[in-house]
Amino acid sequence: MLSNQVKRFRLWRPAIWRCTALIFGSGGVAFVIGDAVKGGLYGEYPSLDRNKLDEGDLQWNNDFRCTYATLLEQWLGLESGPIVNGQFEQFACIKKM
């Protein structure tokens, strides 16, 4: 049943074109959608201040492995350490069912 599933997808912002290759920026967004998700913003909006950019790209403020660890452990019931190669902070975004 779709309402019991958690869906995740990631959007990336292309930074600039360099030498015919597209280089992707480091700032992005991740959405976790479904009835089992506690809604809200987890993290901070990235700064657009030129002094806070990372070589012209948005500076990330959440390690993607925190999101993966959260979904692996809280949704799938798996040990995340071997998959993400370490222990990472988890978000409180999955409802206890």
Side-chain angles (χ1 to χ4, degrees):
M1 184 172 182
L2 185 59
S3 64
N4 291 331
Q5 297 178 1
V6 172
K7 299 291 181 189
R8 182 182 184 285
F9 56 93
R10 198 168 185 90
L11 301 176
W12 291 99
R13 178 188 72 84
I16 58 173
W17 286 92
R18 292 183 187 149
C19 304
T20 74
L22 180 61
I23 307 300
F24 288 93
S26 60
V29 63
F31 294 97
V32 180
I33 302 169
D35 288 344
V37 176
K38 296 178 192 173
L41 173 67
Y42 295 88
E44 301 172 13
Y45 290 107
S47 175
L48 298 176
D49 183 336
R50 289 185 184 271
N51 297 327
K52 295 183 180 178
L53 297 178
D54 180 19
E55 295 182 13
D57 292 321
L58 297 175
Q59 176 63 46
W60 57 272
N61 57 40
N62 292 323
D63 190 318
F64 71 93
R65 294 169 293 187
C66 296
T67 305
Y68 291 176
T70 301
L71 295 177
L72 288 167
E73 293 198 17
Q74 296 179 28
W75 180 251
L76 298 175
L78 300 173
E79 184 181 343
S80 66
I83 298 169
V84 296
N85 197 26
Q87 298 300 313
F88 293 90
E89 178 184 357
Q90 294 183 26
F91 301 111
C93 64
I94 305 295
K95 296 176 187 173
K96 302 290 183 204
M97 302 302 253

